[in-house]
Amino acid sequence: MEKQIEKHVEIERSIIKRFRKEIWRKFITAVNDYELIKEGDKIAVCISGGKDSMLLAKCMQELKKHGKVHFDLVFMVMDPGYNPYNKQIILDNAEYLNIPIEVFNSNIFEVVASVPDSPCYLCAKMRRGYLYKHAKELGCNKIALGHHFDDVIETVLMSMLYSGQMKGMMPKLHSTNHEGMELIRPLYMVKEADILAWKKYNNLTFIQCACRLTENCMLGDNGMGSKRQEMKELVKKFRQTSSVIDMNIFRSIHNVNLDTMIGYQKGQVEHSFLDDYDDRVTMNTITEED
């Protein structure tokens, strides 16, 4: 037991010290810049058993321990029908990392197995609903998911190339189906490569994907697992070409110039540049050369 305690403390210190620039500062920046955590929050950290959600759990623990804002945490594991081997890995890692998880069961894998079309979409939708519902029952007002920087820019590219939309992954969202509940993504600015480096540095092993149907079934993936893998490869090529392209994709969704957009949607209302085109004739904000 003594060795386990020492090891989880060492892992916690690695986040604050060894990976301070790559992980901790970016985690804190996202929490502050996007106002993800407020005084009195009770947050359910949703743990799937992978590297991202486990790192998120440790970062949230450290923030609660050292931060100025007072909030409560619940570490929630939903078992959608894991095989015994994967479930045991999750339980063992939680104990090793000193994460006091609460496990609850669902029959999602069983239900999804009978669906011929878009099983990943249905799985993602059902999992999100179960997480919100159970978190609310525990008295939480927020759920925290482990989506990171790469998930964000992959979503932007995937939406453009396969959906014909400029659509991003938000750092926080109000639930439309569960009143008073909010979703937050505190690892929003942390790159996947740095999460992998943290995992390797601490010699940790996590499950890759516990889905019994497809390895690409990921929460929030909307049934486009294989397309997301394509985006990972595309981002990899971009990074080989230039060291700034990934960050510029990320920055682009923070700096949208609506004066140069043909159309956009706000809520359920669609807008066109023609709506106020003639009213802008004297503004001279855009030259013909542009």
Side-chain angles (χ1 to χ4, degrees):
M1 181 62 73
E2 231 176 61
K3 287 185 178 179
Q4 285 191 356
I5 293 173
E6 290 176 358
K7 188 59 183 176
H8 82 70
V9 170
E10 183 182 326
I11 292 170
E12 291 162 1
R13 286 175 179 166
S14 74
I15 296 172
I16 303 293
K17 295 184 177 181
R18 172 65 179 80
F19 293 94
R20 187 175 189 84
K21 179 182 177 182
E22 297 87 349
I23 293 176
W24 184 247
R25 283 182 184 171
K26 292 179 179 179
F27 165 74
I28 292 297
T29 299
V31 168
N32 291 334
D33 285 5
Y34 303 125
E35 300 178 359
L36 301 185
I37 299 175
K38 296 183 179 180
E39 190 79 22
D41 279 344
K42 185 173 182 180
I43 304 168
V45 180
C46 302
I47 297 175
S48 65
K51 66 186 188 314
D52 308 326
S53 61
M54 287 293 191
L55 172 61
L56 173 61
K58 296 309 298 178
C59 286
M60 295 293 279
Q61 280 183 324
E62 289 302 293
L63 181 60
K64 179 173 172 57
K65 193 187 303 180
H66 302 293
K68 295 179 181 179
V69 175
H70 299 286
F71 62 95
D72 291 321
L73 290 174
V74 174
F75 300 97
M76 197 167 67
V77 175
M78 181 191 64
D79 181 354
Y82 292 134
N83 64 51
Y85 177 77
N86 280 328
K87 185 173 182 178
Q88 193 58 52
I89 291 177
I90 295 172
L91 296 175
D92 291 345
N93 276 331
E95 182 179 359
Y96 185 68
L97 293 170
N98 193 36
I99 302 171
I101 59 174
E102 296 192 22
V103 182
F104 72 99
N105 299 317
S106 73
N107 64 341
I108 291 178
F109 284 175
E110 183 180 337
V111 173
V112 172
S114 63
V115 178
D117 300 319
S118 301
C120 288
Y121 174 78
L122 178 61
C123 181
K125 186 175 181 180
M126 290 181 68
R127 289 171 70 184
R128 188 71 58 82
Y130 270 101
L131 291 171
Y132 272 127
K133 182 176 182 293
H134 195 70
K136 193 168 186 177
E137 289 172 354
L138 293 174
C140 299
N141 65 309
K142 293 179 180 178
I143 63 172
L145 302 183
H147 294 123
H148 48 65
F149 176 94
D150 290 65
D151 291 321
V152 176
I153 63 174
E154 288 159 14
T155 296
V156 174
L157 292 172
M158 193 159 58
S159 296
M160 289 175 63
L161 300 178
Y162 285 103
S163 299
Q165 301 179 71
M166 285 289 295
K167 190 175 180 181
M169 174 182 280
M170 298 296 287
K172 64 179 181 180
L173 289 168
H174 288 293
S175 172
T176 54
N177 298 319
H178 301 269
E179 188 178 354
M181 294 297 296
E182 191 175 359
L183 178 156
I184 61 173
R185 296 180 168 111
L187 296 183
Y188 199 79
M189 294 181 174
V190 180
K191 293 187 178 183
E192 185 173 26
D194 294 322
I195 299 175
L196 288 167
W198 169 79
K199 170 191 164 186
K200 183 178 180 181
Y201 178 82
N202 289 292
N203 196 28
L204 298 168
T205 302
F206 302 112
I207 62 173
Q208 295 293 328
C209 178
C211 181
R212 292 182 175 182
L213 303 176
T214 166
E215 65 181 8
N216 291 316
C217 187
M218 296 185 293
L219 184 62
D221 213 16
N222 293 328
M224 298 185 74
S226 61
K227 300 305 180 187
R228 186 169 290 277
Q229 188 57 42
E230 287 181 23
M231 296 305 101
K232 286 184 180 294
E233 293 300 319
L234 183 58
V235 170
K236 182 179 179 181
K237 290 178 181 178
F238 283 154
R239 284 169 169 155
Q240 291 170 348
T241 303
S242 169
S243 61
V244 300
I245 291 180
D246 60 350
M247 184 54 72
N248 283 341
I249 296 171
F250 184 80
R251 286 173 177 157
S252 71
I253 59 173
H254 293 73
N255 298 294
V256 177
N257 186 340
L258 291 182
D259 288 334
T260 67
M261 294 289 107
I262 301 298
Y264 67 94
Q265 182 175 319
K266 181 70 174 178
Q268 299 300 315
V269 181
E270 293 186 358
H271 300 270
S272 167
F273 82 104
L274 293 172
D275 294 344
D276 62 350
Y277 175 72
D278 291 331
D279 295 335
R280 290 189 286 152
V281 68
T282 60
M283 292 173 64
N284 295 321
T285 55
I286 304 174
T287 65
E288 288 186 16
E289 288 75 12
D290 291 335

